[in-house]
Amino acid sequence: MFVVTDSECTGYGKPGHPENPERISRTIRHLQKQIEIDVFWEHPLGVADPILELAHTREHLRELDRGDRDFDGDTPFYPGIGDYARRSVGAAMKALELAGQGNNSFSLMRPPGHHATASQAMGFCYLNQAAICTLHARACGVPRVAVFDFDVHHGNGTEAILKNKEGAAFFSIHQHPCYPGTGAKSQGNCRNYPVAPGTSAKQYREIAVEALEDLTKFEPELLIVSAGFDAYAKDPLAQLQLTETDFHWIGLQLRQFGIPVVSILEGGYSPDLPELILSYLRGIDGL
């Protein structure tokens, strides 16, 4: 398993904010000491603005660099946040490059991205790595690229950016109602599978099987995964009931597609995040 990370992504934060540096540093330490999977470490690529502009407006990119106030109540402005967000995209792009060489890969970075729209930072997210990677892969000639989003929150930004884009499809299983309040229905190439608060792991798996069957019909040649771990029963930001075993199961299901899988860390705010990520990666590796 190739893991792309950069310790510099822990260089910003706000006391009490759930999206904090320890999410990454604790996970790195856990993956370094475990012996269940072989981890090959990689660093992010540099990413030029024309790549970012596949998914975002120039004005949004300028705002990330020159802003002096919070984007919303959940999404603070930090000095240098534009650079941190670009580095997170660069890690996803390196993971995409590794997938092009036939490898499964995981971008272990912050900030996350799936709530960021073309012109708006929101929900802890500043630039949308999954959408950028999808559109870049399409521009490079991959005929069909699917995004599978299992974060507990609907990936509204990814959906908005990829809606009606030829050769791209978005599949999201998420709690509803829940932040950001979108994703109640499917539309075109964007398929949504909302689950109610308190849904059991058994019921969740049944709905996930339906989503994955629909994804199979799309016949993707590349799978990009918005890997959020906040559907975990002990996560403080939602009310689903998944366990560590369920994230392992998700990884096993995605492995069965037999195509490269690019996984990008989104949410997950429990202290158990490192163990959840390892279980998922074990599934992707077939262990």
Side-chain angles (χ1 to χ4, degrees):
M1 174 63 64
F2 285 86
V3 176
V4 187
T5 194
D6 182 346
S7 62
E8 289 191 30
C9 77
T10 64
Y12 72 94
K14 183 177 181 180
H17 198 288
E19 204 293 282
N20 59 66
E22 278 294 299
R23 300 177 66 235
I24 305 299
S25 56
R26 285 188 293 106
T27 302
I28 290 174
R29 291 194 297 269
H30 187 63
L31 293 180
Q32 287 174 334
K33 71 181 182 181
Q34 59 80 35
I35 58 173
E36 296 177 76
I37 62 173
D38 294 326
V39 175
F40 305 95
W41 299 92
E42 295 283 350
H43 291 282
L45 299 174
V47 180
D49 279 6
I51 298 295
L52 305 180
E53 289 169 12
L54 291 170
H56 294 285
T57 65
R58 291 183 182 180
E59 178 59 29
H60 177 60
L61 301 181
R62 287 193 290 266
E63 188 67 19
L64 288 180
D65 294 329
R66 72 185 183 200
D68 58 2
R69 63 182 186 275
D70 291 349
F71 297 94
D72 63 25
D74 295 320
T75 314
F77 175 80
Y78 300 100
I81 191 59
D83 292 333
Y84 287 114
R86 286 174 172 85
R87 193 174 292 115
S88 195
V89 173
M93 291 293 289
K94 180 62 179 181
L96 180 64
E97 178 185 275
L98 291 164
Q101 300 165 3
N103 302 297
N104 292 324
S105 55
F106 182 68
S107 176
L108 177 59
M109 290 285 284
R110 60 190 289 267
H114 73 151
H115 293 308
T117 69
S119 60
Q120 182 179 3
M122 60 181 293
F124 312 167
C125 302
Y126 301 86
L127 292 171
N128 196 309
Q129 301 97 301
I132 293 167
C133 285
T134 299
L135 295 175
H136 180 70
R138 287 285 297 122
C140 290
V142 180
R144 291 178 304 281
V145 183
V147 176
F148 180 66
D149 188 332
F150 65 84
D151 189 281
V152 79
H153 303 101
H154 179 240
N156 61 300
T158 310
E159 177 176 280
I161 293 169
L162 296 184
K163 185 180 178 182
N164 298 326
K165 290 290 194 297
E166 183 179 357
F170 175 70
F171 301 82
S172 177
I173 178 169
H174 50 270
Q175 179 177 312
H176 186 82
C178 193
Y179 180 90
T182 53
K185 296 181 180 180
S186 298
Q187 46 183 340
N189 65 328
C190 298
R191 303 295 302 273
N192 290 306
Y193 306 84
V195 297
T199 296
S200 70
K202 180 178 182 294
Q203 292 171 312
Y204 181 100
R205 288 197 190 195
E206 291 170 353
I207 296 170
V209 166
E210 176 188 350
L212 293 168
E213 287 175 348
D214 290 340
L215 196 159
T216 300
K217 296 173 186 175
F218 179 66
E219 298 182 340
E221 297 190 19
L222 173 67
L223 182 57
I224 294 174
V225 182
S226 279
F229 296 86
D230 35 10
Y232 180 51
K234 298 180 183 179
D235 195 275
L237 298 191
Q239 297 82 39
L240 293 188
Q241 302 297 316
L242 300 197
T243 67
E244 184 178 328
T245 302
D246 296 304
F247 292 107
H248 180 254
W249 177 84
I250 291 172
L252 287 173
Q253 305 314 300
L254 299 179
R255 177 181 175 81
Q256 292 178 11
F257 282 90
I259 58 176
V261 178
V262 178
S263 299
I264 300 168
L265 179 63
E266 301 285 3
Y269 308 100
S270 162
D272 297 333
L273 178 63
E275 290 81 6
L276 304 180
I277 289 175
L278 177 58
S279 290
Y280 170 73
L281 296 181
R282 285 180 54 244
I284 294 289
D285 265 0
L287 300 174

